[in-house]
Amino acid sequence: MSRIIQMPREVHIGPDVLSNIGDICKGLHLYDEAIVVSGNHTFGIAGKDVVDSLESADFSVDSVMVSEASIESVDKVCDVIGNASVVLGVGGGKIIDVAKLASTNANIDFISVPTTASHDGIISPMSSIKNEGGSISYKAQSPLAVVADTNIIKNAPFKFLSSGCADIVSNYTAIKDWRLAHRLRNEKFSESAAALSELTAKMIIKSSDSIKEGLEESARAVTKALFSSGMSISIAGSSRPASGSEHLFSHALDRIAKKPALHGEQCGVGTIMMMHLHGGDWRFIQSALKAVKAPTNVKELGVSEDELIQALVMAHSIRPERYTILGDNGISEEAAIELAVKTEVIT
């Protein structure tokens, strides 16, 4: 059986590429009208420049400000799309997820313009949208193009870049979970998607010592790695190559914690614990996260010990159809405490 694999037609990752976005859109044969989705903060950082560049290329542009990744935000964008040919998501993960799903629902093209490199949603064909129960992953289209200005990304708070590295490191346990589901549940498995995901994680760890705050080269390296990780999702046709038990833990923490940390940060801490459950080298994961200044314990994550334990116990129920090392029944509170202590997540 054949399957369509969506991939961007053009990828622009480098310094000052944002100034060319109008010409990029013209070169992609997009026509007169465009929608720029951004946030109040990111519009000043990059959204206004995108609008100016598009207008200089003779586009008529409408701007939509959104503050959260919700269905209401998606509907707000859809309401103004009209005859537009493209939606550009200019901002962080929430903005890009909203723009991506809105463009999918309207059946028009989408261009990803990230201002941070905090997770692989800048390219993946998935959108994480929140509701009262937490986050739901929706299948969406891949972007027609990615325009990532690394001079903008390098100036974002370093924790976003660190979070992006942690999200990539989490591919290690995501692949282990996927192989486990393949062996025990005969779930479809793609060797090529798994290989790309694992290679990306190895590459980011190999270069972890050179990931520094304020360096354009660091921003470029992490952005390219996130792009590669997102491509593995497109190849697989699901988020399996980059989302396993560690992501279930993160989504559970989103529901429980009064003030959740960044997605990649939570996934990184989850990866330490899930690697232990897999019988793997969890200290290797811990060291890799420390090298990029990502959290490795509950104190650095900024959540309470009780919230973390509750998230571990709940994690298996977040996506019951997705088999992981947590099994169908999850782990008990006692086992969760022991796991967190053994892996030094709780000290």
Side-chain angles (χ1 to χ4, degrees):
M1 294 180 65
S2 63
R3 183 176 60 81
I4 296 174
I5 298 176
Q6 287 189 329
M7 295 187 179
R9 194 183 305 172
E10 293 187 12
V11 179
H12 301 261
I13 300 175
D16 303 323
V17 295
L18 200 66
S19 60
N20 300 323
I21 200 164
D23 291 335
I24 290 169
C25 288
K26 282 293 185 183
L28 290 166
H29 304 292
L30 298 168
Y31 53 86
D32 297 344
E33 298 181 32
I35 304 294
V36 170
V37 180
S38 194
N40 291 326
H41 180 61
T42 50
F43 187 79
I45 292 172
K48 180 63 166 59
D49 290 338
V50 170
V51 171
D52 290 345
S53 181
L54 288 168
E55 289 180 341
S56 294
D58 297 325
F59 280 86
S60 173
V61 186
D62 279 332
S63 299
V64 183
M65 301 296 118
V66 298
S67 59
E68 58 184 5
S70 64
I71 287 296
E72 290 75 19
S73 295
V74 173
D75 291 340
K76 180 180 179 181
V77 176
C78 287
D79 287 344
V80 300
I81 284 177
N83 294 320
S85 62
V86 62
V87 174
L88 299 95
V90 184
K94 295 176 183 178
I95 301 298
I96 287 174
D97 281 339
V98 168
K100 190 190 307 179
L101 188 57
S103 66
T104 302
N105 291 347
N107 195 30
I108 65 172
D109 288 317
F110 164 66
I111 293 179
S112 177
V113 189
T115 55
T116 64
S118 59
H119 63 73
D120 56 21
I122 64 174
I123 169 64
S124 73
M126 308 293 294
S127 284
S128 181
I129 303 297
K130 293 185 182 297
N131 61 16
E132 62 279 357
S135 296
I136 299 176
S137 291
Y138 291 87
K139 280 205 167 184
Q141 64 179 332
S142 292
L144 177 67
V146 177
V147 183
D149 194 318
T150 49
N151 272 340
I152 290 174
I153 292 171
K154 76 170 185 180
N155 290 325
F158 185 70
K159 68 175 184 176
F160 290 109
L161 209 62
S162 177
S163 174
C165 291
D167 196 27
I168 295 166
V169 169
S170 77
N171 291 5
Y172 274 105
T173 46
I175 295 299
K176 286 183 177 294
D177 283 326
W178 195 14
R179 290 187 188 277
L180 185 66
H182 177 61
R183 291 196 302 271
L184 299 184
R185 298 293 175 89
N186 199 32
E187 185 174 322
K188 289 182 179 179
F189 185 82
S190 167
E191 287 289 355
S192 57
L196 178 58
S197 175
E198 289 181 322
L199 176 63
T200 303
K202 289 176 182 177
M203 287 174 58
I204 206 68
I205 289 177
K206 185 178 180 180
S207 61
S208 60
D209 289 341
S210 64
I211 305 299
K212 305 294 183 182
E213 185 171 2
L215 286 182
E216 186 276 327
E217 294 85 352
S218 296
R220 195 187 326 159
V222 177
T223 305
K224 286 183 176 180
L226 290 170
F227 174 83
S228 179
S229 184
M231 287 307 303
S232 72
I233 296 173
S234 293
I235 293 169
S238 83
S239 60
R240 267 298 197 180
S243 176
S245 49
E246 74 296 321
H247 272 62
L248 299 181
F249 162 74
S250 177
H251 291 317
L253 201 52
D254 283 340
R255 297 187 182 190
I256 290 170
K258 292 179 181 177
K259 189 177 180 181
L262 293 175
H263 169 76
E265 292 178 328
Q266 295 181 166
C267 289
V269 172
T271 302
I272 296 172
M273 295 184 287
M274 301 310 155
M275 183 61 86
H276 184 279
L277 290 181
H278 276 287
D281 187 354
W282 63 270
R283 286 196 179 277
F284 169 74
I285 300 298
Q286 182 191 60
S287 296
L289 294 173
K290 285 182 177 180
V292 295
K293 297 182 172 56
T296 61
N297 58 55
V298 68
K299 184 178 180 180
E300 293 170 351
L301 205 53
V303 300
S304 71
E305 293 184 3
D306 184 58
E307 288 171 338
L308 183 133
I309 297 303
Q310 287 184 52
L312 279 173
V313 173
M314 177 195 285
H316 74 285
S317 66
I318 297 296
R319 294 189 66 176
E321 80 285 357
R322 175 156 291 189
Y323 191 78
T324 71
I325 192 65
L326 295 171
D328 293 322
N329 299 316
I331 60 177
S332 68
E333 183 174 342
E334 293 77 13
I337 293 171
E338 184 178 1
L339 173 62
V341 171
K342 277 187 175 179
T343 54
E344 301 172 0
V345 170
I346 292 177
T347 56

